[in-house]
Amino acid sequence: MRGLKLMWGVLWPFLWFLAALGAAAFSCPHSFSVLEVTGIGAAAAILTLLAWERLQKGKGLTDRLFWGGKALGCGWILIPAGISVCITLNGLLILTGLESASGMYDGMAELIYGSAVWEQLLLSCLLIPFAEELVFRELGYGRLREEVGFGAAALITALFFGIYHLRPVQAIYAAGLGLVLAAAYEKCGGFLAAFLVHAVSNLASVAMTLGEENNQLWNRRSAAAVFTVASGLVLFVCLRKILAFDKKTLLQ
């Protein structure tokens, strides 16, 4: 019974988020882009989840979201972690052929990155990562790790994060990113740390899509391999630093 209660506590914010996205898709005009619809659904999920948690537990959740402000002094390692995880995962997908086999993330990249740059920055790099970190790390991982520990909670929520993205290539990318986000959450100050990594990673992804020069660069396998290995080494160093942090010491 306790296990079922725990699983429901992790699942219901995820299901609510999906419901908010579905409601936005159903109610928004057809002229709205996929990114705009997702942004509206994300905003609705944020507002309703925060309101519900406040009604149930007072200011507890809101306080937890921002108590990690001191830990953002770790930005010197969280920012390169966000950039390097984006480049590494994209590079691996390109080098393994998964990216081309899927038709550039099954055609979703054109739908998302075809929006105006300001929309990509506001929605893809701020609003949507905020909603996803609220659901998957704060309300998902944050609750689960108390029962099953860091490793299992990180793996389970990363898998849920991948499933949420539906398409196979996006799911692989999201699951890998989810593991890094869980590490940032656990070691560097909770929600704000994970949100910073997520926002920077999405910003790097947006930057990689701007301009034909980037596409030509990644089309050269030798260059792609060099960038992937280099960013992988940076990511490895960042993760070692992140996992070595003592969150309690940081927040004193």
Side-chain angles (χ1 to χ4, degrees):
M1 182 62 69
R2 184 179 179 182
L4 291 176
K5 185 177 180 180
L6 173 64
M7 187 57 64
W8 175 246
V10 173
L11 274 177
W12 82 259
F14 172 55
L15 297 175
W16 185 260
F17 186 30
L18 293 181
L21 294 177
F26 180 78
S27 59
C28 287
H30 293 299
S31 58
F32 280 36
S33 68
V34 171
L35 185 61
E36 290 168 340
V37 171
T38 305
I40 292 171
I46 292 169
L47 293 174
T48 51
L49 286 171
L50 290 179
W52 174 258
E53 289 287 326
R54 187 179 182 88
L55 287 173
Q56 295 295 308
K57 302 177 182 178
K59 296 181 180 180
L61 176 60
T62 305
D63 290 342
R64 289 203 311 274
L65 293 184
F66 298 104
W67 64 248
K70 292 181 180 178
L72 290 183
C74 297
W76 63 273
I77 198 67
L78 296 174
I79 290 173
I83 296 171
S84 60
V85 70
C86 172
I87 296 174
T88 301
L89 292 176
N90 275 289
L92 289 174
L93 292 173
I94 290 171
L95 291 172
T96 56
L98 290 173
E99 179 266 346
S100 58
S102 67
M104 187 55 182
Y105 299 92
D106 297 302
M108 285 301 294
E110 289 82 355
L111 294 174
I112 295 174
Y113 298 116
S115 301
V117 173
W118 72 267
E119 286 187 324
Q120 296 181 47
L121 296 176
L122 176 63
L123 301 178
S124 182
C125 301
L126 292 176
L127 184 60
I128 295 172
F130 189 100
E132 292 177 346
E133 290 314 299
L134 174 62
V135 171
F136 290 98
R137 248 59 61 182
E138 182 61 41
L139 297 177
Y141 170 81
R143 289 172 174 171
L144 196 58
R145 60 138 187 214
E146 297 177 1
E147 298 292 333
V148 300
F150 167 55
L155 181 59
I156 292 170
T157 51
L159 290 175
F160 270 109
F161 194 45
I163 292 170
Y164 154 71
H165 285 81
L166 294 178
R167 291 167 173 80
V169 176
Q170 286 182 306
I172 294 171
Y173 181 96
L177 176 61
L179 292 173
V180 177
L181 295 173
Y185 181 101
E186 177 68 24
K187 296 293 186 177
C188 298
F191 172 84
L192 283 180
F195 169 68
L196 178 59
V197 174
H198 197 161
V200 170
S201 178
N202 283 14
L203 178 61
S205 185
V206 169
M208 287 171 62
T209 66
L210 298 178
E212 291 297 322
E213 298 82 4
N214 293 313
N215 293 332
Q216 292 299 320
L217 178 64
W218 282 100
N219 282 337
R220 300 172 183 171
R221 292 187 63 84
S222 58
V226 170
F227 276 100
T228 301
V229 171
S231 63
L233 290 173
V234 172
L235 177 60
F236 176 75
V237 171
C238 289
L239 282 175
R240 282 181 60 89
K241 293 287 187 182
I242 288 171
L243 293 173
F245 282 135
D246 183 343
K247 184 172 64 177
K248 293 181 181 180
T249 301
L250 283 171
L251 297 177
Q252 287 177 351

